[in-house]
């Protein structure tokens, strides 16, 4: 019997943290003569599918870019529909998330979200806080430049109140002031939908991530696509500035 793709990737080193820019919902819908909102609805189905697939692959952290700071500039009716959809999806999926052992976290400027969305999120965060199988980080009203600006404000405040001095500043400290404090940096970034850009996502945290781009629109993205991305990740040599010889020797030593 031939080994399944899932078995194959599980026999090698897995990415502990995968970050995803889920893109292509609108084009997926438009190409079918549907409203963009219907693409977002299918996008939610895909998120559900990929969370489950990631659990099966023993991924520890999955971060999903669901709504960017820049997305507030979309037409009002699309923004409203997305916010409605999120409330609906969160409320509907919470029991399943609990059952699957998912711990939900959010990053981003949640104060900008409508109260209804925020309340639904807060309930889900509370109810899933003991999830042990995977941490699902939803980036909502998130952008990296917003996050870094926010962190710098807090650093300045803490310096002024003498909680912090110049000599404390290093990259670990900066990481701890970001909304991803305590979460290891992503090993692998996947972007669906064909664009090859980061769109203001996790600029600091992706410093050494492997990048994987696919033309598949997000609503079509399935287990197989995820496992192919992981398999591609496993074929790469992560050198972190060292030479290939050094890396091979280190691997031999383990
Ligand atoms: C990604 O799909 C989802 C969000 C940004 C909310 P898009 O809505 O960007 O889909 P395209 O890029 O227009 O196809
Ligand atoms: C990035 O997608 C944001 C999310 C996936 C939430 P966009 O579709 O908004 O990105 P750009 O504007 O094409 O770069
Ligand atoms: Mg897009």
């Amino acid at each position: 019997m031939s080994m399944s793709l899932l078995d194959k990737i599980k026999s090698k080193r897995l990415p502990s943290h995968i970050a995803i820019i889920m893109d292509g919902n609108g084009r997926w819908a438009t190409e079918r003569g549907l409203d963009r909102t219907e693409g977002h609805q299918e996008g939610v189905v895909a998120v559900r599918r990929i969370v489950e697939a990631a659990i099966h692959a023993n991924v520890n952290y999955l971060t999903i870019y669901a709504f960017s700071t820049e997305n507030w500039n979309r037409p009002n009716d699309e923004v409203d529909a997305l916010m409605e959809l999120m409330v609906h999806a969160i409320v509907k999926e919470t029991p399943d998330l609990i059952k699957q052992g998912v711990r939900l976290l959010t990053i981003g400027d949640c104060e900008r979200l409508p109260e209804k969305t925020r309340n639904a999120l807060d309930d889900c965060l509370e109810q899933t806080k003991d999830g042990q199988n995977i941490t699902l980080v939803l980036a909502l009203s998130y952008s990296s430049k917003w996050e870094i600006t926010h962190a710098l404000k807090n650093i300045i405040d803490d310096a002024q109140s003498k909680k912090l001095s110049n000599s404390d500043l290093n990259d670990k400290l900066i990481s701890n002031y970001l909304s991803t404090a305590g979460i290891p940096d992503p090993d692998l970034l996947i972007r669906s939908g064909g664009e090859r850009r980061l769109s203001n996502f996790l600029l600091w945290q992706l410093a050494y991530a492997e990048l994987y781009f696919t033309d598949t629109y997000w609503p079509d993205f399935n287990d197989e696509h995820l496992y192919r991305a992981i398999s591609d990740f496993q074929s790469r040599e992560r050198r972190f500035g060292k030479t290939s010889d050094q890396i091979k020797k280190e691997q031999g030593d383990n």
Side-chain angles (χ1 to χ4, degrees), residues 101-116:
V102 177
R103 175 175 69 133
L104 185 76
L105 298 178
T106 59
I107 55 172
D109 189 2
C110 282
E111 280 166 31
R112 281 187 80 174
L113 298 172
E115 204 182 331
K116 230 172 116 185

Side-chain angles (χ1 to χ4, degrees), residues 52-72:
E52 208 172 318
I55 294 173
H56 288 148
N58 295 335
V59 171
N60 301 311
Y61 295 87
L62 181 66
T63 297
I64 294 195
Y65 203 8
F67 192 86
S68 71
T69 303
E70 288 74 21
N71 289 148
W72 287 113

Side-chain angles (χ1 to χ4, degrees), residues 167-186:
S167 60
D168 294 325
L169 209 61
N170 56 37
D171 76 40
K172 269 217 172 61
L173 182 121
I174 293 173
S175 292
N176 283 332
Y177 273 86
L178 298 175
S179 49
T180 49
I183 302 171
D185 286 345

Side-chain angles (χ1 to χ4, degrees), residues 7-57:
D7 289 334
K8 257 184 219 153
I9 60 169
K10 284 174 96 167
S11 69
K12 294 191 191 157
R13 218 179 112 76
L14 287 155
S16 173
H17 183 176
I18 299 178
I20 300 182
I21 301 175
M22 49 166 185
D23 195 20
N25 292 352
R27 281 164 287 161
W28 180 92
T30 305
E31 285 179 14
R32 282 163 180 76
L34 303 169
D35 195 77
R36 290 178 56 87
T37 308
E38 296 184 67
H40 297 313
Q41 267 161 14
E42 276 307 302
V44 173
V45 179
V47 171
R48 208 198 132 101
R49 182 163 65 225
I50 294 312
V51 170
E52 208 172 318
I55 294 173
H56 288 148

